[in-house]
Amino acid sequence: QVQLVESGGGLVQPGGSLRLSCSGSERTFRTYTVGWFRQAPGKEREFVAAITVRFIYYTDSVKGRFTISRDNAKNTVYLQMNSLKPEDTAVYYCAAAASASGSIDNGVFYDYWGQGTQVTVSS
């Protein structure tokens, strides 16, 4: 059982930056596929970014603004969010899967989920 703990959310002005962290309890966390999803009020959950051992994926709306990375020594995956827009406002969730192949942009691919962290972009 992998436990995921997210942190780093908050209130930021448009154009600002935040860095989200997702820490995993499993000692082999570095081999897991880790994805970030978000859900805005009244909207469905959507894929944001994912990182496998070899590859990185982004949804089109965040390309060039968000960067996903991992620090294997700390069992942590980061989502650096720059040039934030009001439409980025949502609860952000990290998720982990032992597999590296499949529909990485689909929530059903993932086995474990964090509790979520609120990101609000507003002036």
Side-chain angles (χ1 to χ4, degrees):
Q1 186 80 8
V2 177
Q3 294 183 336
L4 302 175
V5 178
E6 298 129 333
S7 62
L11 172 64
V12 64
Q13 292 186 344
S17 298
L18 283 175
R19 188 178 77 161
L20 305 183
S21 300
C22 175
S23 297
S25 61
E26 172 60 43
R27 63 181 177 85
T28 60
F29 189 63
R30 67 186 182 277
T31 67
Y32 279 65
T33 295
V34 178
W36 285 96
F37 290 77
R38 64 188 180 187
Q39 188 166 20
K43 295 187 177 181
E44 293 187 354
R45 183 179 60 195
E46 67 169 344
F47 170 76
V48 177
I51 186 168
T52 71
V53 173
R54 297 180 63 190
F55 300 109
I56 288 174
Y57 306 87
Y58 298 99
T59 193
D60 287 345
S61 63
V62 307
K63 285 180 181 177
R65 300 189 299 123
F66 290 11
T67 302
I68 190 171
S69 62
R70 68 195 315 164
D71 184 335
N72 291 331
K74 296 182 178 180
N75 273 8
T76 300
V77 170
Y78 302 100
L79 184 68
Q80 177 67 43
M81 306 186 295
N82 299 329
S83 302
L84 282 161
K85 304 175 181 180
E87 50 264 43
D88 295 317
T89 295
V91 178
Y92 283 70
Y93 299 89
C94 72
S99 176
S101 60
S103 299
I104 287 174
D105 60 348
N106 191 323
V108 299
F109 173 80
Y110 295 87
D111 306 305
Y112 309 101
W113 290 83
Q115 79 285 359
T117 185
Q118 177 70 47
V119 171
T120 302
V121 184
S122 175
S123 55

